[in-house]
Amino acid sequence: MKGCIIAGSILILVLGGVIFNAFYVRNTADHLLHAVEGLPAIPDPVATPTEIAAIQQELEDHAPILGITVPYSIIDRVSEALINLNACARSNDRLQYTETLALLQDLIEELSRTERITLKSVL
């Protein structure tokens, strides 16, 4: 009987961890997406790079915890897109900036999709 109680407790802890992680990843991705959507459509070569740097710093702050369950390849792609976006804003390349901004939004949504709560992620 003790073994059953211990196994049930471990199962509850694992399920709680999976659910907590899914909410953490989703919340972080939503916050990053909201920050990216707040960037101007037409870059300001002075102000926009500062805003992008703040988003990069936030990603770097969350990357160690995100990297536990989210593949680093996705985190790296988001980081690379932010670097490219920063370069486009500094050079005032509006076309490339717009394309990279759209790509960045898709990559952040992909980051969020990796940790949806499904039966597969629970088991």
Side-chain angles (χ1 to χ4, degrees), residues 81-102:
L82 282 166
I83 291 168
N84 289 339
L85 190 66
N86 196 349
C88 294
R90 287 183 188 276
S91 66
N92 208 17
D93 183 355
R94 292 180 182 176
L95 179 62
Q96 190 67 33
Y97 174 86
T98 305
E99 291 173 358
T100 306
L101 189 59

Side-chain angles (χ1 to χ4, degrees), residues 22-23 77:
F23 282 119
R77 290 179 62 200

Side-chain angles (χ1 to χ4, degrees), residues 4-22 69 121-123:
C4 185
I5 293 172
I6 291 172
S9 299
I10 291 172
L11 178 63
I12 289 171
L13 285 173
V14 169
L15 289 175
V18 168
I19 292 170
F20 173 78
N21 181 63
T69 56
S121 70
V122 172
L123 299 177

Side-chain angles (χ1 to χ4, degrees), residues 11-122:
L11 178 63
I12 289 171
L13 285 173
V14 169
L15 289 175
V18 168
I19 292 170
F20 173 78
N21 181 63
F23 282 119
Y24 179 80
V25 171
R26 175 67 57 97
N27 186 34
T28 302
D30 287 346
H31 189 66
L32 288 171
L33 187 60
H34 181 69
V36 168
E37 288 173 346
L39 292 172
I42 299 173
D44 176 12
V46 177
T48 305
T50 306
E51 295 174 29
I52 295 169
I55 297 169
Q56 284 177 304
Q57 185 60 46
E58 184 176 346
L59 178 64
E60 289 175 13
D61 291 345
H62 291 283
I65 297 171
L66 289 174
I68 294 172
T69 56
V70 175
Y72 270 108
S73 60
I74 296 173
I75 298 170
D76 288 343
R77 290 179 62 200
V78 172
S79 181
E80 289 172 5
L82 282 166
I83 291 168
N84 289 339
L85 190 66
N86 196 349
C88 294
R90 287 183 188 276
S91 66
N92 208 17
D93 183 355
R94 292 180 182 176
L95 179 62
Q96 190 67 33
Y97 174 86
T98 305
E99 291 173 358
T100 306
L101 189 59
L103 173 66
L104 182 59
Q105 290 172 345
D106 287 342
L107 288 172
I108 293 173
E109 288 174 2
E110 180 181 344
L111 178 82
S112 179
R113 282 191 299 267
T114 60
E115 283 302 310
R116 284 208 174 120
I117 298 177
T118 62
L119 186 59
K120 182 181 176 184
S121 70
V122 172

